[in-house]
Amino acid sequence: MTDHDPLQEVALDSETLYQGNFLCLKRDTVRLPDGAVTTREYVKHPGAVVVIPLLDDGRVLLERQFRYPVGQVMIELPAGKLDAGEDPLDCARRELLEETGYSARQWAQAGVMHLAIGYSDEILHIYFARDLSAGERQLDEGEFLDVIAMPAEAFLDGCRTGLITDAKSLSCALWLQNVQRGDWTLDWQDMA
């Protein structure tokens, strides 16, 4: 038995086109399943987390933040990139505190998603957080955002109407909806 998939492409060569502060643009030469050779350009990303923070009253903590690439203020769930060697849960806890000022007593890993498989290797780890306690935000230098709370129904409706168009938040809305209905279960861990 082999673990080679007949659709797999085989890397023959790789070059770095650009190395930024945390993103790297690559161009690889690959052999296709039919033997032809072509190139693939993609972004290497260190990975990230997204948190679905649930307040005791059923509201979801969200952020309003200007996103330069799209030129507008977006409503989205708290998220952030992994530091080198950082455990995803540690990153989720850090990002929730830094961006919102909240810490959570209970955490549940929901899953992972590949954000943009056509041009990036980014993996996003999805976490739920509840039993939240408010504290002091610790925003990074040059980071500006507002923290807002929305009833879960309003968050889901905002995804439907186009108020919220951020891909990670839209994907997490599916998780939230299924967890609320009891269709998907979570393994909650006490992090006291």
Side-chain angles (χ1 to χ4, degrees):
M1 190 160 118
T2 178
D3 56 357
H4 176 77
D5 189 302
L7 294 176
Q8 185 173 340
E9 299 176 359
V10 177
L12 303 173
D13 189 36
S14 182
E15 74 177 296
T16 299
L17 302 176
Y18 173 77
Q19 178 64 58
N21 291 331
F22 79 98
L23 294 178
C24 177
L25 179 59
K26 305 284 283 185
R27 179 186 299 131
D28 289 3
T29 302
V30 300
R31 183 177 323 283
L32 300 175
D34 66 359
V37 175
T38 192
T39 59
R40 299 289 187 226
E41 295 175 351
Y42 61 99
V43 175
K44 299 262 319 152
H45 189 285
V49 300
V50 59
V51 180
I52 305 166
L54 305 173
L55 293 167
D56 291 342
D57 63 5
R59 292 179 300 155
V60 179
L61 276 183
L62 297 160
E63 300 173 354
R64 291 181 67 254
Q65 184 173 12
F66 182 79
R67 293 300 194 167
Y68 186 83
V70 295
Q72 64 186 42
V73 173
M74 304 292 287
I75 297 174
E76 58 189 286
L77 289 164
K81 76 172 186 66
L82 290 164
D83 289 337
E86 186 176 26
D87 176 77
L89 177 57
D90 291 340
C91 180
R93 295 173 75 183
R94 174 179 56 77
E95 287 292 339
L96 181 64
L97 180 62
E98 285 178 2
E99 293 183 356
T100 70
Y102 281 84
S103 56
R105 183 177 173 91
Q106 294 190 318
W107 288 86
Q109 183 175 13
V112 297
M113 79 173 103
H114 292 87
L115 212 55
I117 59 174
Y119 62 86
S120 176
D121 69 347
E122 181 178 0
I123 295 175
L124 194 60
H125 302 266
I126 306 165
Y127 287 93
F128 277 75
R130 69 181 182 191
D131 198 0
L132 303 179
S133 299
E136 192 76 24
R137 290 193 310 170
Q138 302 167 13
L139 295 174
D140 291 334
E141 184 176 332
E143 187 173 33
F144 302 93
L145 57 90
D146 293 330
V147 177
I148 61 174
M150 248 185 218
E153 299 76 25
F155 168 65
L156 295 172
D157 194 55
C159 292
R160 181 187 63 78
T161 63
L163 174 67
I164 298 167
T165 60
D166 165 56
K168 70 183 176 307
S169 299
L170 292 172
S171 296
C172 289
L174 176 68
W175 270 97
L176 178 61
Q177 187 175 42
N178 280 287
V179 166
Q180 284 184 325
R181 284 196 306 227
D183 294 340
W184 296 357
T185 59
L186 297 171
D187 181 19
W188 289 98
Q189 304 294 316
D190 195 359
M191 305 298 287

